[in-house]
Amino acid sequence: MWPLFSSEDMYAPFLAPLILIVNIVKVTVIGLSVVKDEGVVNSMTRHGDHRELLKGPLYYACAITLTTMVFWRTSPISIAVICNLCAGDVTLSKTKKKPGLERKGKVVAEIKDAVEQYSSAYVFTYDNMRNQKLKDLREQLKSSSRIFLAGKKVMQIALGRSPADEAKTGLHKLSKFLQGDSGLFFTNLPRDDVERLFQEFEEHDFARTGSTATETVELKEGPLEQFTHEMEPFLRKQGLPVRLNKGVVELVADHVVCEEGRPLSPEAAQTLVRTGDYAVFAAYIDLNMSLNELKGASSNFSRRLLGLQMATFRLYLVCRWSCDDFEVYSEGLARIRAEDSS
């Protein structure tokens, strides 16, 4: 645009950037949410967040405007600044976004949408997470609620970390409680219903390696009639001192599978499962399954020995936000603090 103006015209440096000044005003009012324009937001930001307009795009327009007004065409500094900005813009535009950044940006956008869609938001923590159980809960509540489990910083960015950048008034208070194993629960359900749901939610499952044993389990010397003779090699691999005696699996000495309060070993975690139908497992092998399929069948079968479920998947509310209220739950807060101190 500069060639359209005379270098001798004293008003030219102020007339040339008029379009940029209009753009600065436009970016500012959209970035502050005074005016909404999804087209501008999506085309000029990386994560679809209108507040990003107040950073890179605004700085870019201001830099070119000031350079034009101060240095104009009479100084090589203006040419150097403009070329540097353009070169940097081309370099960034050619850089592919990392899949991880795209996923995080999508989560941020979804949380922001949930803030607008639901009347209240909760931070929750949990014990013994089971993905399938959580998936079932999500399906059960999908008509009224949304659950997010993502990186702590990603969720904090979406909510806002201070009053200056929070999505809604008071929402930043949730961010400081996103610690340890925690997530976000957005819902239109009444508070009493949510509290009852979280208090009653309890799913028992088999403990995993590293979990703390809730009781001591000891097998006594003698025949193990619940196991067929085909299982004897498998039991030995789990560390049980067994042998075959006239076709019966026999424990040759007392064996402690796990001790209360101590972490479970991989062998103990596999042994603490209910007795399975070994004939079914043998049938799997007869079907000439692929190696990966056979490994999957073996893994599932290895979880079926003693049938003791020592893990309980539970959810605990930590705090609640709504447009006119904020509340902290002492039990959930205590569990988060216990995680941080351990």
Side-chain angles (χ1 to χ4, degrees), residues 130-144:
R130 294 296 185 266
N131 292 333
Q132 185 57 50
K133 304 292 186 182
L134 183 66
K135 183 179 179 181
D136 295 341
L137 181 63
R138 278 186 167 129
E139 184 66 22
Q140 174 188 338
L141 300 172
K142 68 179 181 179
S143 62
S144 62

Side-chain angles (χ1 to χ4, degrees), residues 263-306:
L264 295 176
S265 66
E267 294 79 14
Q270 291 184 346
T271 303
L272 287 175
V273 220
R274 62 186 172 82
T275 303
D277 185 351
Y278 189 80
V280 174
F281 182 67
Y284 281 146
I285 301 176
D286 292 339
L287 290 176
N288 296 318
M289 301 170 67
S290 69
L291 180 59
N292 287 337
E293 291 173 325
L294 183 56
K295 285 181 178 178
S298 177
S299 175
N300 290 331
F301 180 70
S302 69
R303 295 174 176 272
R304 299 186 174 193
L305 293 184
L306 297 181

